[in-house]
Amino acid sequence: MTGEKKSVLILGGGLAGLTAAKRLADRGFEVRLLEKRDIFGGKVSSWKDEEGDWIESGTHCFFGAYDVLYDLLREIGSYHAVLWKDHRLTYTMSGGKDFTFNTWNLPSPLHLLPAIINNGYFTFGQMAAFSRSLIPLALQQRAYPPTQDHLTFAEWAEKKRFGSHLMDRMFRPMSLALKFIPPEEISAKIILDVTETFYRVPDASRMGFLKGAPSEYIHRPLVEHSRGKGAEFRTGASVEELLFDGTEIKGVQLTNGEILTADYYLAALPIHNLNRVLPEALKRHDRFFSDLDRLQGVPVISVQLWYDREITPVDNVLFSPDGVIPVYANLARTTPDYDTLRGEPFRGGSRLEFCVAPAAPLMQKMNDEIVAQVDRSVRDCYPASSAGAKILKSTVVRIPRSVYAPLPGMEQYRPTQQTPVGNLFLAGGFSQQLYYDSMGGAVMSANLAAEGVMKAAGVVEG
Ligand SMILES: Cc1cc2nc3c(=O)[nH]c(=O)nc-3n(C[C@H](O)[C@H](O)[C@H](O)COP(=O)(O)OP(=O)(O)OC[C@H]3O[C@@H](n4cnc5c(N)ncnc54)[C@H](O)[C@@H]3O)c2cc1C
């Protein structure tokens, strides 16, 4: 950047805020980032508990589709830490039954053939009925899902008549795994978008896991990189309110009363926190801001159970339509750095991590009750390997408002990164970009918001 350095204040140190900080520090901006917690990472944060084991806010799978995330990881020298798993999705069910969607190494859409003709569970007739329902998707491709945003996925499926079996066994856990809400609530657009991407891009549905903690392989390298370029990072700095003078943002007030100012402001907060820091004057100024109240976060619970024996050897993501564990993984297999119990190597056992959803009915329950329900689901899916197994340790993390809920009709309220106020920009999984509220979405939103700041500052052409 030539001339005087322009300053940017970034609110929120999740993946979106940290990415925006890097992008802007790399382009010569004077960057300060404020994070209210004492750790970075937000919904993908990780920390060590008092016994020396890593705990995460939740299991994080890396979809092959997230190119922007992998570009970022390559830039900070962390791409090596993504461990790609076999390209297959396994569903585990009551009574120890399971089925697997495999793929072949063929051009799209032939790569999906084994999933359709040889999954060992759904009949060819059921898969053919489902394939027929996707004809509009095949013909119109990315143009089709947005036309279905007025329906829930369950309503869309009802119209297409591909049967309740496929819906309950395959799509219910998929919907709960993606956004922690069931097919009766999620917009059809989301499932159709994901299906279209999986269909069009052969590697999009391949899953990876990080070798260890996101704080080690993503957040720390990002912060160190940006610090090297002069960026400042503050933890324990909670924003109370954006100060708006009727035309532009004049500053940010922290909960301790401090006021900070900059040329540009980039809010990378979860939607409910953003709504809290936007002043009423800004909401009255433009519907762009008042409409944000319509977006709400979904509750989810993350549970980890250490069993004294191997429950499943699968080194990959697992889904289950039965019980309360729609998506989970054996971290002792998928995530080598996590193969510990009380800080010591944990050989021969299983360390399972589950996203528990729908979580609303369980949110107020005691930890023991939640663990007991998850354990029942495990024993139901693995009657043989769990017989006599003991739980050696358990952890429960509740997130009352996690990703935004992509309900029907909500797409129109997802904001762009550029706002009607010239020096205010938004980033975060809820803002408009391809990948919804995900790690890929957080990075893409940050790239777009940082680009907006650069254009406003004349660093790149508008
Ligand atoms: C259990 C779980 C499992 C998930 N699994 C996956 C997965 O497998 N794959 C995937 O791609 N995505 C997954 N996600 C989604 C992914 O974690 C998020 O989409 C992504 O991390 C969002 O990043 P963000 O930066 O937009 O928001 P956040 O991570 O929410 O970051 C916002 C930051 O702002 C801070 N903040 C809030 N209020 C203030 C304030 N007033 N002042 C200062 N700072 C503030 C917060 O503390 C936080 O650090 C999962 C999410 C959860 C909860």
Side-chain angles (χ1 to χ4, degrees), residues 2 12 29 44 68 79 95 113 137 146 189 195 225 228 242 314 406-408:
T2 53
F29 284 82
V44 62
V68 287
Y79 182 70
L113 265 183
L137 193 64
K189 177 179 185 298
T195 307
H225 173 98
L242 284 166
V314 173
L407 308 174

Side-chain angles (χ1 to χ4, degrees), residues 219-233:
H219 313 136
R220 189 157 50 81
L222 271 174
V223 170
E224 280 173 5
H225 173 98
S226 302
R227 277 199 176 123
K229 306 258 168 162
E232 284 176 36
F233 291 82

Side-chain angles (χ1 to χ4, degrees), residues 86-408:
D86 288 346
H87 195 173
R88 66 166 62 109
L89 304 177
T90 300
Y91 284 62
T92 60
M93 296 180 292
S94 193
K97 296 193 268 309
D98 60 34
F99 65 91
T100 301
F101 289 120
N102 284 302
T103 53
W104 278 337
N105 203 5
L106 288 174
S108 148
L110 299 178
H111 67 293
L112 293 178
L113 265 183
I116 294 170
I117 59 177
N118 189 25
N119 58 68
Y121 185 60
F122 299 111
T123 63
F124 183 72
Q126 286 164 342
M127 291 313 278
F130 174 57
S131 302
R132 263 199 312 278
S133 75
L134 294 182
I135 289 172
L137 193 64
L139 293 176
Q140 297 174 47
Q141 299 191 347
R142 284 158 120 171
Y144 179 67
T147 65
Q148 305 302 305
D149 190 42
H150 58 294
L151 298 173
T152 65
F153 185 66
E155 287 166 345
W156 182 86
E158 181 71 31
K159 283 175 68 171
K160 297 293 175 184
R161 300 183 184 285
F162 61 70
S164 60
H165 190 53
L166 210 61
M167 170 60 100
D168 279 341
R169 304 279 87 192
M170 179 169 127
F171 285 109
R172 183 169 303 283
M174 189 203 250
S175 172
L176 289 167
L178 282 171
K179 298 292 155 223
F180 317 134
I181 52 177
E184 293 76 20
E185 293 176 27
I186 200 167
S187 162
K189 177 179 185 298
I190 283 70
I191 305 282
L192 292 171
D193 262 339
V194 172
T195 307
E196 195 277 328
T197 309
F198 285 4
Y199 171 87
R200 184 171 39 84
V201 185
D203 260 346
S205 52
R206 184 189 291 278
M207 299 285 183
F209 282 75
L210 214 51
K211 186 174 170 296
S215 52
E216 296 288 287
Y217 295 107
I218 305 181
H219 313 136
R220 189 157 50 81
L222 271 174
V223 170
E224 280 173 5
H225 173 98
S226 302
R227 277 199 176 123
K229 306 258 168 162
E232 284 176 36
F233 291 82
R234 276 176 66 177
T235 51
S238 180
V239 174
E240 173 87 23
E241 193 171 48
L242 284 166
L243 305 174
F244 178 57
D245 72 356
T247 310
E248 59 174 15
I249 302 299
K250 283 293 176 203
V252 160
Q253 176 158 354
L254 306 194
T255 46
N256 66 5
E258 204 179 337
I259 291 179
L260 301 172
T261 61
D263 296 311
Y264 301 101
Y265 299 83
L266 193 159
L269 305 172
I271 185 64
H272 62 283
N273 292 116
L274 175 65
N275 282 327
R276 218 176 279 157
V277 306
L278 292 175
E280 281 307 314
L282 201 51
K283 292 184 186 172
R284 282 197 302 274
H285 178 73
D286 201 295
R287 273 191 68 176
F288 178 95
F289 296 107
S290 54
D291 275 348
L292 296 177
D293 278 335
R294 297 172 190 259
L295 300 171
Q296 301 293 328
V298 179
V300 65
I301 300 176
S302 285
V303 172
Q304 285 196 67
L305 300 181
W306 282 252
Y307 285 96
D308 66 350
R309 65 199 64 186
E310 183 144 88
I311 302 292
T312 169
V314 173
D315 175 13
N316 210 327
V317 66
L318 291 156
F319 299 92
S320 179
D322 296 320
V324 294
I325 52 169
V327 60
Y328 63 102
N330 181 1
L331 300 185
R333 291 272 182 171
T334 57
T335 312
D337 295 3
Y338 285 175
D339 195 10
T340 66
L341 171 65
R342 306 200 165 90
E344 299 296 326
F346 179 48
R347 302 273 177 254
S350 281
R351 177 178 173 174
L352 302 179
E353 186 170 51
F354 309 85
C355 273
V356 177
L362 293 173
M363 226 50 195
Q364 307 305 325
K365 302 261 188 226
M366 306 292 283
N367 283 2
D368 287 356
E369 279 181 78
I370 297 170
V371 166
Q373 277 218 31
V374 172
D375 181 45
R376 271 199 295 281
S377 300
V378 172
R379 289 178 197 274
D380 186 35
C381 288
Y382 298 97
S385 59
S386 69
K390 289 193 181 60
I391 296 176
L392 303 174
K393 175 170 174 168
S394 63
T395 62
V396 176
V397 177
R398 291 175 174 74
I399 307 181
R401 277 168 294 189
S402 67
V403 297
Y404 87 95
L407 308 174

Side-chain angles (χ1 to χ4, degrees), residues 414 417 428-437 441-442 444-445 448:
R414 290 176 74 196
Q417 290 72 29
F430 64 87
S431 66
Q432 268 182 39
Q433 33 72 26
L434 284 183
Y435 303 122
Y436 300 99
D437 210 333
M444 188 176 266
S445 74
L448 292 167

Side-chain angles (χ1 to χ4, degrees), residues 15-16 35-36 42-43 59-61 66 239 273 428-429 437-439:
L15 187 52
E35 165 55 47
K36 79 169 176 185
K43 290 192 268 290
T59 315
H60 275 76
C61 299
Y66 297 156
V239 174
N273 292 116
D437 210 333
S438 66
M439 294 182 289

